Amino acid sequence: MTSLLASLMSMKYKGRGNVREYIMKMYQIASKLKALKIELSEDLLVLMVLVSLPAHFNQFKVNYNCQREKWTLNELISHCVQGEERLKQDKTESAHLASASKDKGKKRKHENEAAKGLVQKKQHKEPTGCFFCGKTGHVKKECTKYHAWRAKKWLPELPKAK
């Protein structure tokens, strides 16, 4: 009795085989328990089946819980089979294709070297001159013309005397 009850309570549908056979196995265990004078109601058995279904049946479970009427075991089987068929149709099989070019990675190696070269050029780039006046020998922050322009721009003009 305890082993039958434990096996019924621990059953989980793993997606192998079809769901009808799985539910029928649960029903057979429940009928064996009934022969041992432990009777499970059909509503309880339906709920145990629903609980044991995997996550991809979650939408199906929600639909059942939203309805006012309770299903019989036969109705549950037919709805589960329909849901399983729908899931199989929705499930798209896909393959990820990988292609190799004829140069077998030479392009990638070249791209990596080019990227490293750009990084090195950026790191070792020395200033070529002032960005403000364009003359060499100093940079913008040291440029006297830049400082004069900035002071003129930011200082308010004083009213001219007549």
Side-chain angles (χ1 to χ4, degrees):
M1 247 188 309
T2 56
S3 64
L4 285 173
L5 194 56
S7 66
L8 182 65
M9 291 172 57
S10 65
M11 285 181 75
K12 296 285 181 198
Y13 180 62
K14 295 179 177 74
R16 290 185 224 116
N18 67 35
V19 74
R20 179 189 312 256
E21 292 173 3
Y22 170 75
I23 295 172
M24 290 309 295
K25 284 180 189 176
M26 289 187 82
Y27 178 73
Q28 288 171 354
I29 293 173
S31 59
K32 287 179 184 177
L33 284 168
K34 185 177 181 181
L36 295 172
K37 301 203 188 226
I38 298 178
E39 192 168 339
L40 300 174
S41 70
E42 191 171 16
D43 289 342
L44 180 61
L45 189 57
V46 166
L47 289 174
M48 290 178 76
V49 169
L50 287 172
V51 166
S52 68
L53 293 176
H56 58 269
F57 280 91
N58 281 349
Q59 185 64 41
F60 177 75
K61 294 176 190 179
V62 169
N63 289 340
Y64 174 77
N65 289 328
C66 290
Q67 294 180 2
R68 291 183 186 254
E69 62 186 50
K70 300 298 178 195
W71 293 339
T72 64
L73 199 59
N74 288 331
E75 289 173 331
L76 175 69
I77 290 172
S78 67
H79 288 295
C80 282
V81 169
Q82 288 174 1
E84 185 178 46
E85 290 300 318
R86 208 172 308 117
L87 287 171
K88 284 180 183 177
Q89 289 174 356
D90 292 344
K91 190 177 188 181
T92 56
E93 303 267 339
S94 64
H96 298 285
L97 298 177
S99 63
S101 61
K102 292 179 182 176
D103 56 356
K104 302 215 181 205
K106 291 179 185 176
K107 183 178 178 184
R108 181 177 290 151
K109 184 178 178 183
H110 178 68
E111 288 173 354
N112 288 341
E113 288 174 359
K116 286 180 185 175
L118 288 175
V119 171
Q120 289 173 353
K121 285 180 184 177
K122 286 181 181 178
Q123 289 175 349
H124 298 293
K125 188 174 183 179
E126 296 192 19
T128 56
C130 178
F131 288 119
F132 187 77
C133 68
K135 295 182 182 177
T136 57
H138 67 278
V139 290
K140 182 178 170 183
K141 69 179 181 180
E142 299 168 352
C143 182
T144 54
K145 288 183 180 180
Y146 173 71
H147 287 292
W149 170 83
R150 193 168 168 198
K152 184 178 177 183
K153 182 179 177 187
W154 293 104
L155 287 177
E157 288 189 26
L158 298 173
K160 295 182 181 178
K162 291 185 180 179

